[in-house]
Amino acid sequence: MVKPFSLIAVVAFATTLTSCFKDEALNNECDIEKAWIQVDNPDEVFFQPSNAELPDIESTKTDLIFPDLRPNSDVTALPVYFKVTDGATIAPENGSVQNFADGPVTYVVTSEDGQYNRTYRVFIKATDAGTTPDPGDPGDPGDPGKPEEQFDYVNYDFENYFLDPASSKFYVWSDYENGSNWATGNPGFKIAKGSATPDQYPSTPLAEGYDGAGVKLVTSDTGPFGVVVNMRIAAGNLFTGVFDSKSATKAPLKATHFGEGSYNQINYRPVTLAGYYQYTPGEVFKDKSGKVVEDRIDQGDIYAVVFRNVDSEGKSFYLTGDNVLTSPQIVALARVPNVVKTEGGWHNFSVDFNYSGELDPAILANYGYSMAVVFTSSIEGAAFQGAVGSTLLIDKVSIAYKK
């Protein structure tokens, strides 16, 4: 099976761009690296134990969003603990009880040398009562008493996009007011071509989509930098999850965290992935070494995967570029076949999820599964193979599901 795309150039100076850095004897970094909630009755508060912590926090994130707690959980007096960079201090005090009922609580981390600080917002809320079905109740996913044609929908219209707040160099997308459920490899392209304008990045807004704004994904040349690191192309991409620049220098495929984050946890059974697309392959297909592959025509890729988001040790789990289609944690896949050249404007796609087995109702009710939705302009982008100029346009995507 062909691996999915991965954009990711080697980020040689990522730590200097995403952390507080200065050459002095005392530590000058001021990052939160990990956060967790500690309560006496975790089974009554969290849907699953792994929801109590946010491990390995990406250094560019300043909004920390915990998965929703169980309905009626008291969020007015919760102690949150943090692992900060060596020597740094945090205010309010680490582990102090805070009230999250009225919105996020602001924390300030100050470096050991006292010269730098970063402000974080921590979001914690309880799930609204009635939104999470209990196993066996009418309306549960797979309930035989519910008509087969009766579905609910998650809709992605891509209207909410804006320039990255930290750099103003490239676009990002989100379906939520706080935080983001979508990610791209644009941060890596910024390292390869720092002089590029926002509309020259691989993933950009499309002003006139099928209905309103859409997304334009273009396989792009990474220039001299890409030649040096043998990553000559950057496939345009958009996926639900997180791009982790800290991993990019060591293992590029590990930098794409498909389905990571509380926004991507689900308590419903996805049935169909649908939407609209156009695809135009680039003129010349090249392999990773830059050699032209005769008679090879590029393709795009559109798919969604459902997977178990906790591993055998009870730790949080997400998919990465090297296992997003092959991990044994995957329980369902919906993949559009043959995303090849289209003619005559927008084309509709609709493909059902293929399940390897039945979902566990108890796990589902406890948000024990996550979903990743993925689009890329070059199907072999993970191997840095494809055709510069390959273009995938996407709009009005939906997931039909049963509750």
Side-chain angles (χ1 to χ4, degrees), residues 15-16 32 50 59 106 108 127 151 154 201 205 218 232 285 289 307-308 328 332 359 369 382 389 391 398 402:
T15 55
T16 66
I32 292 178
S50 61
S59 56
T106 298
V108 178
T127 301
F151 300 117
V154 176
Y201 275 73
V218 181
R232 291 171 169 80
F285 190 102
S289 65
F307 61 94
R308 183 77 171 94
L359 300 183
Y369 298 101
T391 302
S398 66
K402 296 195 71 176

Side-chain angles (χ1 to χ4, degrees), residues 186-343:
N186 279 345
F189 190 79
K190 176 179 176 291
I191 304 303
K193 283 194 171 182
S195 62
T197 60
D199 61 346
Q200 294 174 329
Y201 275 73
S203 304
T204 60
L206 178 67
E208 296 184 5
Y210 177 81
D211 181 12
V215 178
K216 181 179 182 180
L217 308 175
V218 181
T219 300
S220 304
D221 189 329
T222 54
F225 181 88
V227 174
V228 171
V229 298
N230 202 28
M231 300 176 181
R232 291 171 169 80
I233 66 165
N237 51 76
L238 183 71
F239 61 95
T240 52
V242 174
F243 177 85
D244 181 9
S245 61
K246 291 188 294 185
S247 301
T249 56
K250 301 175 183 178
L253 293 180
K254 298 294 186 182
T256 44
H257 296 184
F258 299 105
E260 183 188 9
S262 59
Y263 289 136
N264 301 310
Q265 295 181 352
I266 59 174
N267 68 335
Y268 52 80
R269 185 181 190 275
V271 176
T272 302
L273 168 69
Y276 293 87
Y277 79 102
Q278 296 184 50
Y279 188 72
T280 304
E283 294 183 0
V284 180
F285 190 102
K286 295 182 180 181
D287 63 15
K288 185 174 182 178
S289 65
K291 182 181 178 180
V292 174
V293 181
E294 300 291 348
D295 301 323
R296 181 70 189 276
I297 301 176
D298 207 358
Q299 298 183 41
D301 211 0
I302 300 170
Y303 60 91
V305 289
V306 178
F307 61 94
R308 183 77 171 94
N309 58 32
V310 175
D311 65 17
S312 59
E313 297 179 353
K315 298 179 180 179
S316 295
F317 177 86
Y318 50 80
L319 300 169
T320 58
D322 54 1
N323 69 359
V324 67
L325 291 171
T326 59
S327 170
Q329 299 271 121
I330 293 173
V331 296
L333 171 66
R335 192 178 193 187
V336 178
N338 301 320
V339 181
V340 296
K341 184 177 181 179
T342 57
E343 302 283 357

Side-chain angles (χ1 to χ4, degrees), residues 103-124:
V105 173
T106 298
Y107 290 82
V108 178
V109 181
T110 302
S111 60
E112 183 182 33
D113 64 8
Q115 299 299 308
Y116 302 96
N117 61 71
R118 295 186 73 187
T119 299
Y120 290 83
R121 297 191 302 169
V122 177
F123 296 77
I124 304 173

Side-chain angles (χ1 to χ4, degrees), residues 60-99:
T60 59
K61 279 190 174 181
T62 54
D63 278 357
L64 308 184
I65 304 171
F66 280 88
D68 287 357
L69 309 184
R70 289 187 180 277
N72 302 317
S73 294
D74 182 10
V75 297
T76 63
L78 285 177
V80 183
Y81 294 82
F82 303 92
K83 180 181 183 297
V84 297
T85 45
D86 290 344
T89 57
I90 188 168
E93 184 179 354
N94 202 341
S96 60
V97 173
Q98 301 295 324
N99 180 7

Side-chain angles (χ1 to χ4, degrees), residues 2 8 27 30 52 69 102 114 126 151 169 300 316 324 347 382 385 391:
V2 179
I8 317 152
N27 196 345
C30 46
L69 309 184
D102 298 324
F151 300 117
K169 292 291 293 182
S316 295
V324 67
H347 285 238
Q385 299 188 141
T391 302

